[in-house]
Amino acid sequence: MGTNATGTTDGPEGRLGGDVLTVDHTHTNAKSEKAAIESGLEIAEKRDASIEDESDKAPLPPYSVFTGWERYSIVAMVAAASLFSPLTANVYFPAIPQIANAFNTSVERINLTVTVYMIVQGLSPSLWGSVADRKGRRPAFVGCLIILLGSTIGLALVPTSAYWLLVVLRLVQAAGSASTVALAAGVMADVIPIELRGGYMGIANIGPMIGPCIGPVIGGILANKLGWRSIFWFLAIATGVCCVFLLLFFPETLRSMVGNGSIPPPKYNRALIPIIGRRGLEVSSERPPVKALPNPFKLFTAPDVVIILISSAVPYSAFYAVNTTISSLFTEVYPFLTETEIGLCFLGLGGGGTLATITVGKLLDVQFRATRRKMERAANNDPEKLRDISKIDRGNYDDFPIEEACLKTQFIWIWLFSIACIGYGWCLHAKTTIAVPLILQFILGYTMVAVMTNTGTLIVDLFPTQGSSVTAANNLVRCLMGAATVSVINPITNALGPGWTYTLCGGLCALTVPMVLVELKWGPVWRQRRIERSRQG
């Protein structure tokens, strides 16, 4: 048998065999082509994965170019500036009877200036926080302190025949001083990486916490020795010194303006003596895009944020109720105390708060590391979770359980605060030795700062690019609730007595524990949905 031109064998068998061979050959080519395609795809996938792995291993720029001592210097400056928010409010309390006599009016009318102060204290940071998130932290700090300085000088010179001017100047004073705490939170988000933020937030909170501690003491001493006007001259001098210090040394930290601190800010926004962060500056014509002026009220559309804010505002209101009634209750229960000694009684709250600022922030850092280790243990059997850890190493915390890391001990602090609050009221009702309510004040101050540090750190971590705005929203809720509490606490105490009044306060605080449970369960879900919407939009 011969072969034809097609290469098949002649004859029926040969053609059948040739047909079979032809079919097998075609099938083999198809299989080979498919295998080649699959092999090529596998190679491409491995190559892309290799490229991705290499990019993952590529060195990242530091979160912030500021060195250790520079970070501590920045935190110290913002802590000093944020001191004026509570100091301006609390230094006023011991002088209220004296100011009422000077203006020939009632204590209740002077207390009205406290209420309006707290209302503006809640509203003002919403504006200044948004400005700071777009125009820079430095101009916002300096602007607030200049307004505070001018209004404080006005208060020192206000004629006693112009009660209306006293109210107006207190409003302006609140507009200047109240926003410094929100601005400080924005700076923390700018320069401190999330894994270290708890400890630094604790340091930054020293200013806001020693304000309620030393404010009444300073106010009582100055009012007794030099008169009520000396209080405002003291504030004016302290504000002026702080403002000059910020103008000379404080660097711009807004990340949308200076990145991690390596991009020089505009000339108008530079420290006059730029010794902080100077080595990290690189001359660059490229700047991040200008951000639109953020609307802080949009934050209230996020359910997890609302839960966090309310759960911390309720204990804050109870804390403020204790703070504002110390003078009247201690004068009634312990009539042997002088005005200066009553001022010293505020040290219990402030002392506990100050200790908490040092320890609770460090505890937050420990909680963060413990949560990270928990993720690493779970990742041993789950490659997807290992990938999440890789993202965290590169600064992406979208899949990190921030809520768990920040709120792990929140239940303890809320329960302790509630129990101490109830015990404080009944100690005053029973007129125990003064040591007992002072010790309970210390516990109240410590646990209050612990609650606020946990929630304050969490909301900044949730919105790191809007640190000032989200802290302003926090300030708005707690100050408005605090103002409402101040306006009704005296009538309630007169009607129920301190025992049942603070039992009511402590019980309301205990009711926030279920809110924390809801945040731990649903907070990560709401956060992931928000992240997905931002990626799609």
Side-chain angles (χ1 to χ4, degrees):
M1 298 183 182
T3 58
N4 57 25
T6 61
T8 59
T9 307
D10 291 336
E13 292 183 2
R15 283 193 296 272
L16 180 60
D19 290 340
V20 172
L21 288 173
T22 301
V23 172
D24 287 345
H25 178 69
T26 304
H27 183 62
T28 302
N29 288 342
K31 289 177 64 178
S32 300
E33 183 178 355
K34 181 179 179 181
I37 292 173
E38 291 178 349
S39 177
L41 290 174
E42 184 178 354
I43 293 172
E45 289 176 357
K46 290 182 178 180
R47 181 190 62 212
D48 293 341
S50 175
I51 293 173
E52 184 177 350
D53 290 342
E54 290 299 322
S55 66
D56 287 345
K57 295 177 183 178
L60 287 174
Y63 183 84
S64 174
V65 298
F66 298 108
T67 62
W69 77 267
E70 289 174 336
R71 286 199 298 265
Y72 278 111
S73 299
I74 292 172
V75 172
M77 282 189 279
V78 299
S82 59
L83 165 67
F84 288 99
S85 178
L87 179 63
T88 305
N90 288 272
V91 75
Y92 187 75
F93 291 159
I96 286 177
Q98 197 176 112
I99 295 174
N101 291 332
F103 280 81
N104 194 26
T105 188
S106 64
V107 171
E108 286 73 17
R109 292 191 72 195
I110 300 300
N111 278 337
L112 181 62
T113 65
V114 177
T115 301
V116 297
Y117 181 97
M118 290 194 67
I119 293 174
V120 177
Q121 189 179 37
L123 295 173
S124 174
S126 299
L127 172 62
W128 282 108
S130 297
V131 171
D133 284 339
R134 185 172 187 266
K135 297 296 184 181
R137 316 299 187 194
R138 180 180 160 83
F141 265 121
V142 173
C144 285
L145 292 179
I146 289 176
I147 292 174
L148 175 59
L149 176 61
S151 60
T152 303
I153 293 175
L155 284 165
L157 300 173
V158 64
T160 55
S161 59
Y163 169 78
W164 66 270
L165 185 57
L166 175 70
V167 176
V168 170
L169 288 173
R170 281 289 284 175
L171 289 173
V172 178
Q173 190 182 42
S177 67
S179 304
T180 53
V181 175
L183 300 180
V187 173
M188 294 297 99
D190 291 338
V191 302
I192 308 298
I194 187 173
E195 63 270 16
L196 301 176
R197 197 168 293 157
Y200 281 94
M201 285 289 285
I203 298 173
N205 283 333
I206 290 178
M209 281 315 305
I210 66 173
C213 170
I214 66 174
V217 178
I218 295 174
I221 294 174
L222 290 175
N224 287 337
K225 303 297 182 181
L226 301 175
W228 63 271
R229 294 186 187 273
S230 64
I231 293 175
F232 298 112
W233 285 120
F234 164 79
L235 287 175
I237 294 170
T239 303
V241 171
C242 185
C243 187
V244 170
F245 209 80
L246 292 181
L247 281 170
L248 292 177
F249 303 110
F250 188 71
E252 181 54 60
T253 64
L254 181 64
R255 296 187 73 84
S256 64
M257 181 178 292
V258 299
N260 64 354
S262 61
I263 303 174
K267 290 184 179 180
Y268 72 86
N269 201 8
R270 299 179 185 178
L272 300 180
I273 304 178
I275 60 175
I276 298 178
R278 186 173 182 177
R279 289 177 298 174
L281 292 178
E282 299 174 358
V283 178
S284 174
S285 58
E286 296 183 2
R287 295 187 183 279
V290 178
K291 294 170 58 179
L293 190 65
N295 181 4
F297 296 102
K298 285 186 177 180
L299 296 169
F300 293 109
T301 62
D304 51 339
V305 173
V306 173
I307 289 176
I308 295 169
L309 298 186
I310 294 177
S311 66
S312 62
V314 173
Y316 178 85
S317 299
F319 175 82
Y320 223 91
V322 172
N323 198 33
T324 54
T325 57
I326 287 177
S327 296
S328 58
L329 287 177
F330 273 56
T331 299
E332 177 183 348
V333 177
Y334 307 107
F336 55 86
L337 296 175
T338 65
E339 290 184 359
T340 301
E341 290 171 338
I342 289 177
L344 292 173
C345 290
F346 286 82
L347 292 173
L349 289 174
T354 303
L355 178 62
T357 60
I358 300 171
T359 58
V360 174
K362 296 297 183 182
L363 179 59
L364 262 178
D365 292 341
V366 172
Q367 292 173 198
F368 181 94
R369 292 192 291 269
T371 306
R372 166 67 183 265
R373 288 194 296 269
K374 180 180 177 181
M375 287 187 67
E376 290 174 346
R377 288 193 297 268
N380 292 332
N381 300 320
D382 191 340
E384 185 63 28
K385 292 183 178 180
L386 187 62
R387 190 175 184 85
D388 293 341
I389 294 177
S390 177
K391 292 179 181 178
I392 293 171
D393 291 335
R394 296 185 62 81
N396 185 339
Y397 288 86
D398 290 350
D399 298 307
F400 184 79
I402 300 173
E403 294 81 4
E404 178 184 347
C406 291
L407 300 180
K408 187 176 295 184
T409 58
Q410 191 79 335
F411 307 102
I412 299 174
W413 306 130
I414 292 177
W415 282 118
L416 287 176
F417 182 89
S418 301
I419 294 169
C421 189
I422 295 171
Y424 174 78
W426 288 109
C427 285
L428 292 177
H429 177 83
K431 297 182 179 182
T432 64
T433 177
I434 194 172
V436 179
L438 290 179
I439 292 173
L440 291 173
Q441 279 186 19
F442 183 91
I443 297 173
L444 287 170
Y446 189 97
T447 52
M448 180 68 255
V449 172
V451 170
M452 298 305 298
T453 300
N454 288 346
T455 56
T457 303
L458 176 57
I459 59 175
V460 171
D461 291 345
L462 292 176
F463 297 90
T465 62
Q466 301 182 58
S468 292
S469 296
V470 72
T471 305
N474 185 19
N475 201 66
L476 173 64
V477 174
R478 70 182 186 180
C479 284
L480 291 183
M481 290 186 66
T485 302
V486 169
S487 65
V488 300
I489 190 64
N490 283 327
I492 292 176
T493 304
N494 293 335
L496 301 179
W500 286 113
T501 297
Y502 289 106
T503 297
L504 175 63
C505 291
L508 291 173
C509 293
L511 292 178
T512 63
V513 170
M515 301 180 72
V516 178
L517 288 172
V518 171
E519 174 63 23
L520 286 172
K521 180 175 178 60
W522 292 102
V525 177
W526 291 324
R527 175 162 57 92
Q528 289 300 325
R529 290 176 181 173
R530 187 165 56 245
I531 292 171
E532 291 174 3
R533 287 195 301 267
S534 65
R535 288 171 179 170
Q536 294 173 358

